[in-house]
Amino acid sequence: VWGGHNKANPWAGMDCSGFVSQVYHDFGIEIPAYTVSMEADFHEISRDEVKAGDVGFWGSHGHTDHIVLFLDHNTMIYEPQPGESCKTATVGSYHPDWYARNDAMQAKINTKNRDSSGLAFKL
């Protein structure tokens, strides 16, 4: 749903930025549900740095019009056009213009990927 982002009822439908905002909300991180407004909550990273929780933007800074969430270095999940359901794709099929990270999300992901000794492990 174009412009959709009802956090009280995510089943009502959402667009790309509403989806990313909802996932971050579910992790306890509040970000806007509009791509241009979201930019301030992220810092740009290189393609080589991308990992789970990072995002990809389409459009130049201040003029973005689409966003995806990365599940891992090569897989993104996103809301496509109105009327279509959430999809996954490889980054090679649809390259973002730039990649970005939210440090609060990375801190949560890194915490979840540690065992009781504090050592990192893979899921």
Side-chain angles (χ1 to χ4, degrees), residues 77-95:
I77 186 167
Y78 63 100
E79 291 289 338
Q81 305 177 70
E84 291 185 329
S85 296
C86 192
K87 295 182 179 183
T88 60
T90 62
V91 70
S93 66
Y94 188 42
H95 290 281

Side-chain angles (χ1 to χ4, degrees), residues 21-44:
S21 180
Q22 180 70 48
V23 171
Y24 271 66
H25 171 79
D26 292 346
F27 272 83
I29 302 166
E30 299 304 325
I31 61 173
Y34 174 59
T35 58
V36 174
S37 299
M38 289 175 153
E39 292 178 27
D41 291 286
F42 294 89
H43 59 89
E44 190 168 357

Side-chain angles (χ1 to χ4, degrees), residues 37-113:
S37 299
M38 289 175 153
E39 292 178 27
D41 291 286
F42 294 89
H43 59 89
E44 190 168 357
I45 59 173
S46 73
R47 167 67 182 111
D48 294 336
E49 298 175 85
V50 172
K51 55 186 171 181
D54 292 336
V55 299
F57 284 99
W58 278 261
S60 61
H61 293 272
H63 301 283
T64 52
D65 58 13
H66 188 53
I67 188 171
V68 298
L69 180 67
F70 280 88
L71 298 176
D72 60 34
H73 184 72
N74 291 310
T75 310
M76 54 191 178
I77 186 167
Y78 63 100
E79 291 289 338
Q81 305 177 70
E84 291 185 329
S85 296
C86 192
K87 295 182 179 183
T88 60
T90 62
V91 70
S93 66
Y94 188 42
H95 290 281
D97 291 321
W98 54 284
Y99 305 87
R101 173 167 296 151
N102 176 287
D103 292 330
M105 178 60 91
Q106 284 307 312
K108 288 187 179 271
I109 289 172
N110 289 335
T111 299
K112 289 183 181 296
N113 289 340

